[in-house]
Amino acid sequence: GAQASAAQGGADSAALMHALAPFVTVAPALPPFAQQPQLKRLVLAALERAIREITHPVVERSVTIAGITTRELVSKDFALDPSEGEMRRAAHHMVQALASSLALVTCREPLRVSMSTHLRTLLQQQQPGLAGDQLETALQAASADNLDLGCALIERVATDRALRDIDDALAAQLEARRKGAERGQPFVDQAGLQAGSMYPAQLPEMLRPRPA
């Protein structure tokens, strides 16, 4: 129930903080961290909260767009290709590249803003007198120094999810090619080649699939 979900969320948070801890960067001379090194843990906490806050919407959007685009293009391009392995490899390369790029473009600014917001709250709780230029400088520097780390983690989540989803989306087509090979009858995607289908009917002649 709710208690189990809360416990799982706490465990996930602790695991994420443990994984991030060795890589979080804080400039040695940056106030107030230079004077109070114990405050560096707040940078880790702020990054962890920001990642958890934006990962789900970023990954959902990136993976959905990458998956639909990959499924449509690979299905068209491999309509006359009987190779299960070639189709899977092409789909994996494409969906990984798309999901990674989309996640990176989508997450950078929201992650920076979210981390700054969380770090501001945490620092003001610990250091009520911290304000003005010193606070803003600390927020901007700490967020900028750890932005790539957060983005890399979100990219990884997106690409891993995209690979799983594209395998599911193409499962029937891959299975049909596998069965065709076992029977010695190379697979042809007749549904994808029907005149009434969007692809390849609306494609220029040079882009329409041809037998391998």
Side-chain angles (χ1 to χ4, degrees):
Q3 288 183 332
S5 296
Q8 181 61 46
D12 290 346
S13 177
L16 178 55
M17 290 186 72
H18 181 74
L20 290 171
F23 305 104
V24 168
T25 301
V26 179
L30 180 66
F33 306 107
Q35 295 80 10
Q36 301 179 70
Q38 73 275 13
L39 294 179
K40 292 180 181 179
R41 62 184 172 80
L42 301 182
V43 177
L44 171 60
L47 178 60
E48 182 270 335
R49 292 180 187 184
I51 289 172
R52 288 172 61 82
E53 186 175 283
I54 74 162
T55 294
H56 180 73
V58 166
V59 168
E60 285 296 319
R61 177 178 173 79
S62 303
V63 170
T64 298
I65 295 172
I68 292 172
T69 304
T70 299
R71 184 192 69 215
E72 293 296 326
L73 286 177
V74 169
S75 296
K76 183 271 295 183
D77 285 350
F78 285 81
L80 297 177
D81 191 324
S83 172
E84 172 198 352
E86 289 297 323
M87 185 179 192
R88 178 183 284 108
R89 277 190 291 275
H92 280 191
H93 284 311
M94 182 174 182
V95 84
Q96 276 187 299
L98 283 176
S100 174
S101 297
L102 286 166
L104 180 59
V105 169
T106 308
C107 81
R108 284 192 75 85
E109 185 60 14
L111 182 64
R112 185 191 65 78
V113 172
S114 180
M115 184 179 175
S116 294
T117 300
H118 286 298
L119 185 56
R120 181 188 301 274
T121 300
L122 292 168
L123 281 173
Q124 289 179 330
Q125 288 172 350
Q126 295 289 323
Q127 299 286 309
L130 186 63
D133 291 344
Q134 188 181 65
L135 175 60
E136 296 305 319
T137 299
L139 294 175
Q140 292 176 15
S143 299
D145 287 345
N146 294 283
L147 189 57
D148 286 344
L149 172 61
C151 288
L153 190 146
I154 294 170
E155 272 189 272
R156 176 63 184 270
V157 173
T159 55
D160 287 351
R161 165 79 179 281
L163 286 174
R164 293 195 300 270
D165 283 8
I166 198 63
D167 281 343
D168 290 342
L170 296 176
Q173 296 186 52
L174 294 171
E175 177 66 16
R177 284 166 172 76
R178 186 180 309 121
K179 289 182 176 178
E182 291 172 354
R183 294 193 300 266
Q185 299 174 339
F187 172 82
V188 174
D189 184 5
Q190 297 293 348
L193 295 174
Q194 289 175 357
S197 66
M198 181 176 179
Y199 299 114
Q202 296 182 7
L203 292 172
E205 179 61 32
M206 67 179 66
L207 295 179
R208 294 181 187 179
R210 296 179 175 81

